[in-house]
Amino acid sequence: MVFSSVLFVFKFLPIALLLLFLTPKKYRNAVLLGLSLVFYAWGEVKYISIMFASIFIDYFCSNGIEKHREDRKRTRVYLWISILMNLGLLFFFKYSDFVIRSINLLFQSDLPLLNLTLPLGISFYTFQTMSYTFDVYRGNLKAERNIIDFGAFVCLFPQLIAGPIVTYGQIAKELKERVVTWAKFNDGVMLFLAGLASKVLLANNIGMLWDDVLLLGPGRISTLGAWLGLVAFGMQIYFDFSGYSLMAIGMGKMMGFEFPQNFNYPYISKSMTEFWSRWHMTLGTWFRDYVYIPLGGNRKGIKIQLRNLFIVWFLTGLWQGADYNFVLWGLYFFVLLTLEKL
């Protein structure tokens, strides 16, 4: 169910908001969890078991860490169970065919592809649940005892499919007690409409120019037409992705949540470093907090810093998609950012 669809805008969202506001506060998270599962199952019911697995794995591991806080070996075991199970699910569904193609290319073999359908939003909710377990392990959070509240966090339908990536700590208080005022609800509606307009009026229509360029192909397109197509593609990606983020942030406000900003006018950036502080900001923050800084960040000299940057941008590229072009895309930014830092 796409946010910009008639079904979502005129049926699912109004019904969801009405149910949430009519439900006593004590039971709202249960209703929110139910609505989120319906939203997810509408698009891909066969993979709802993966969602349940993510909830139970990290609920079990985080509470195991909390219970055995004094036993470092045991807490590490729980942490590694969470990491391996979450990344295992992500790897199996998203990267198994990529690995098989690579083996076939390298060894001239003919292994059959699995051709698995990628579960909706798995790249986003896997990162969210892992970050929660990391934070509990570090002592930044207390493990959530209420599995309904934790499930509502994992499945939260406004940002389930396309972000922004929200950590548990950012909405922990609102999961327990959230207040919706008319002013806040109005702000949420305005943000949702701005995102909807960005997606439907701008991204979809600008994308038609890019589609025309693709149809013409490199043999028949003029130089000017190629550049126009390139600009159209960049604008389509931006207005589409930022539009979805705005809709998610707006819906969050309508329900009493404050989701983090995901885009901040990235195309006005004066450097690549600035660009990545403005584009998909929650993904950059996630990699900074849970990969770059734990590896040592920039605290151990330039060689270690460049190694850490390489790892982060290799993983960023791989996160975007399971193919070589995405890996090269990530390494391309690594090179540009390295040149700026040097």
Side-chain angles (χ1 to χ4, degrees), residues 20-222:
L20 285 169
F21 291 141
L22 291 177
T23 302
K25 287 184 179 182
K26 185 178 178 181
Y27 304 108
R28 277 185 189 171
N29 283 346
V31 172
L32 183 58
L33 174 59
L35 288 167
S36 298
L37 290 172
V38 169
F39 172 82
Y40 190 82
W42 194 281
E44 213 160 33
V45 68
K46 66 179 180 178
Y47 283 147
I48 201 163
S49 57
I50 307 298
M51 180 71 70
F52 285 128
S54 288
I55 293 170
F56 286 112
I57 288 166
D58 287 282
Y59 178 80
F60 167 77
C61 290
S62 62
N63 278 280
I65 291 169
E66 191 72 56
K67 185 177 179 181
H68 303 284
R69 178 72 69 186
E70 303 305 317
D71 187 343
R72 294 296 288 176
K73 281 188 178 179
R74 202 159 179 178
T75 56
R76 281 198 199 98
V77 169
Y78 282 117
L79 178 66
W80 277 106
I81 290 172
S82 171
I83 292 171
L84 293 175
M85 293 296 287
N86 279 294
L87 292 183
L89 288 170
L90 182 62
F91 179 87
F92 178 70
F93 285 101
K94 190 169 183 176
Y95 300 105
S96 51
D97 279 353
F98 175 60
V99 172
I100 293 169
R101 284 197 303 270
S102 300
I103 292 170
N104 287 342
L105 185 66
L106 191 61
F107 298 104
Q108 299 299 301
S109 55
D110 194 26
L111 298 173
L113 299 178
L114 300 180
N115 292 316
L116 297 169
T117 306
L118 185 66
L120 289 169
I122 190 169
S123 297
F124 288 92
Y125 65 73
T126 298
F127 271 29
Q128 289 186 177
T129 55
M130 278 201 307
S131 70
Y132 163 76
T133 309
F134 286 148
D135 285 339
V136 172
Y137 177 78
R138 291 170 175 175
N140 297 335
L141 289 175
K142 289 277 189 183
E144 176 55 67
R145 300 293 181 133
N146 188 323
I147 196 168
I148 299 295
D149 290 356
F150 181 67
F153 157 70
V154 176
C155 304
L156 200 55
F157 75 84
Q159 45 76 238
L160 176 63
I161 304 301
I165 297 171
V166 179
T167 62
Y168 187 84
Q170 289 171 326
I171 60 169
K173 289 181 180 178
E174 291 150 4
L175 278 168
K176 297 299 181 184
E177 184 68 37
R178 50 190 179 271
V179 178
V180 181
T181 63
W182 279 112
K184 194 171 185 177
F185 187 86
N186 182 65
D187 288 344
V189 171
M190 296 303 290
L191 283 171
F192 181 84
L193 291 175
L196 185 64
S198 178
K199 163 67 179 156
V200 176
L201 300 181
L202 296 175
N204 290 358
N205 287 292
I206 293 170
M208 291 178 187
L209 176 56
W210 170 243
D211 293 338
D212 289 343
V213 170
L214 283 181
L215 282 174
L216 285 171
R220 291 188 294 161
I221 191 71
S222 66

Side-chain angles (χ1 to χ4, degrees), residues 250-316:
M251 283 187 282
K253 276 187 177 289
M254 290 184 224
M255 298 173 192
F257 293 100
E258 289 288 345
F259 297 155
Q261 186 179 5
N262 212 21
F263 289 86
N264 183 23
Y265 303 103
Y267 288 153
I268 68 168
S269 303
K270 297 180 180 66
S271 68
M272 199 51 69
T273 303
E274 184 185 354
F275 177 81
W276 279 106
S277 70
R278 292 172 174 272
W279 178 284
H280 204 348
M281 295 154 68
T282 56
L283 178 67
T285 300
W286 196 96
F287 273 111
R288 182 197 68 197
D289 292 346
Y290 299 103
V291 180
Y292 182 70
I293 291 175
L295 286 172
N298 59 0
R299 303 187 306 274
K300 298 181 179 180
I302 190 66
K303 287 184 180 179
I304 299 297
Q305 182 184 8
L306 294 182
R307 182 207 66 181
N308 296 342
L309 280 173
F310 176 84
I311 292 170
V312 164
W313 285 100
F314 175 82
L315 293 175
T316 300

